[in-house]
Amino acid sequence: MIKFFRKIRKTLADDNKPLKYFRYAIGEIVLVVIGILIALQLNNLNEIDKVKDTEVIYLNALHDEFSNNLKEVERVMKLNKRGLEMAHGLLGKMGTDDPNFTEKVFDSLMYRTIYSEIQYRPSPGTLIELVNSGKLSIISNRELRLNLASWDGVLASVLFQEEEHSKPRYKLIDLMNKYGNGRKSFINTFGNELDMPNSNFKSSSIELLNNLEYDNQLTFFYVTGSYLNSSYYPNLKNEIENTLKMIQSELDQRTD
């Protein structure tokens, strides 16, 4: 300990050494600060790279998701078109007694009109994850981010019209159950692959041709379904295609 204090006194007694030590200490501090700043910068760059890599992963997943959504809207439009064609054939015969319009033809048109539920079913897994986890901000393109954030509103509009379309469909089914011969009509339309016994009732569903309530519901069914295919689904398809273009553009920039 005594030697340590002697060394300090000797150092302080030298006029040049304190200045040298001071300069050395300043230099050391500067180097440490520079090292810290470089480390922070490298860490920030690493974090930025991680965020960019994560964004690319989500962009690819969103591209797959919206590609499937595009196929789905095309599927439901095709299905709805087929039902509308059947309904159109029925509408032209309602309230008539055309002898050439047989019971089997009526049954086929009636069942194929109401057979399929018209409902768009998207694949929202990735988008839901982004929104619910608060990670939507990871999408750097502001326009794309806003587009994804408003997706629920686009779907809500379509869903509302689909529900309007489903109401007359269920009414048509109820009227067929009430006034028609469902079993006989089913066998006439699809054959008897289910091996059901034939109906013993003499009534026929073709009697619905002169049912005004059935005609009204069929009209409502045709109108609501037509709006789906002429407006709602095309708008939805455009939204999906625009979203896909933005996603693809972002992915292309990452590979340039």
Side-chain angles (χ1 to χ4, degrees):
M1 183 66 71
I2 295 174
K3 289 181 179 181
F4 176 73
F5 283 112
R6 284 177 179 174
K7 189 174 182 180
I8 292 177
R9 283 197 300 270
K10 185 178 179 182
T11 300
L12 294 175
D14 192 335
D15 291 337
N16 293 325
K17 285 184 178 180
L19 182 59
K20 288 180 180 180
Y21 276 111
F22 179 75
R23 290 174 178 172
Y24 176 78
I26 293 296
E28 287 292 316
I29 293 172
V30 170
L31 288 175
V32 170
V33 171
I34 292 174
I36 292 173
L37 291 175
I38 292 174
L40 288 173
Q41 183 65 23
L42 290 174
N43 184 62
N44 288 337
L45 291 174
N46 287 334
E47 289 299 319
I48 291 172
D49 287 340
K50 288 180 181 179
V51 171
K52 289 181 177 179
D53 289 343
T54 303
E55 183 184 8
V56 170
I57 292 173
Y58 275 114
L59 285 171
N60 279 305
L62 285 168
H63 191 277
D64 291 342
E65 188 169 291
F66 276 84
S67 295
N68 290 331
N69 289 345
L70 182 59
K71 293 177 183 178
E72 171 63 12
V73 74
E74 290 171 346
R75 179 198 69 83
V76 76
M77 286 180 72
K78 184 178 180 179
L79 189 64
N80 188 41
K81 180 182 178 182
R82 190 181 306 141
L84 291 174
E85 288 172 350
M86 299 297 107
H88 188 273
L90 272 181
L91 284 170
K93 297 297 181 178
M94 293 299 298
T96 68
D97 294 312
D98 185 350
N100 296 319
F101 193 64
T102 65
E103 180 183 331
K104 284 192 175 182
V105 173
F106 174 84
D107 288 341
S108 179
L109 289 175
M110 177 190 68
Y111 252 111
R112 295 182 191 282
T113 295
I114 61 175
Y115 185 72
S116 300
E117 182 180 17
I118 305 303
Q119 186 178 51
Y120 171 71
R121 297 182 178 91
S123 304
T126 302
L127 182 55
I128 286 178
E129 180 186 344
L130 278 172
V131 173
N132 291 348
S133 63
K135 294 180 180 178
L136 191 58
S137 59
I138 203 171
I139 304 299
S140 55
N141 185 308
R142 183 175 181 274
E143 184 181 358
L144 175 57
R145 191 167 62 249
L146 292 174
N147 187 281
L148 295 172
S150 63
W151 181 243
D152 279 348
V154 175
L155 290 182
S157 175
V158 174
L159 178 60
F160 173 81
Q161 185 64 17
E162 286 178 338
E163 289 175 346
E164 290 298 296
H165 184 54
S166 69
K167 292 175 183 177
R169 175 175 177 263
Y170 289 128
K171 288 286 187 180
L172 291 172
I173 294 173
D174 288 342
L175 289 168
M176 187 270 289
N177 288 333
K178 187 174 181 180
Y179 299 109
N181 189 326
R183 193 195 317 176
K184 187 177 181 182
S185 296
F186 186 90
I187 293 174
N188 282 341
T189 304
F190 302 107
N192 201 4
E193 295 180 359
L194 301 179
D195 195 28
M196 288 188 294
N198 290 320
S199 174
N200 293 317
F201 291 94
K202 302 301 180 182
S203 60
S204 168
S205 296
I206 199 171
E207 296 170 10
L208 290 166
L209 274 177
N210 295 304
N211 187 305
L212 182 58
E213 184 179 2
Y214 189 88
D215 182 73
N216 289 335
Q217 292 302 327
L218 187 62
T219 300
F220 188 27
F221 176 90
Y222 188 79
V223 170
T224 54
S226 295
Y227 280 132
L228 277 172
N229 265 27
S230 65
S231 179
Y232 289 86
Y233 286 147
N235 289 341
L236 176 62
K237 185 178 179 181
N238 287 337
E239 287 289 337
I240 295 172
E241 289 174 338
N242 288 336
T243 301
L244 277 171
K245 287 179 182 178
M246 285 189 282
I247 293 173
Q248 189 60 57
S249 176
E250 290 298 305
L251 289 171
D252 290 342
Q253 291 178 30
R254 303 301 192 280
T255 56
D256 288 344

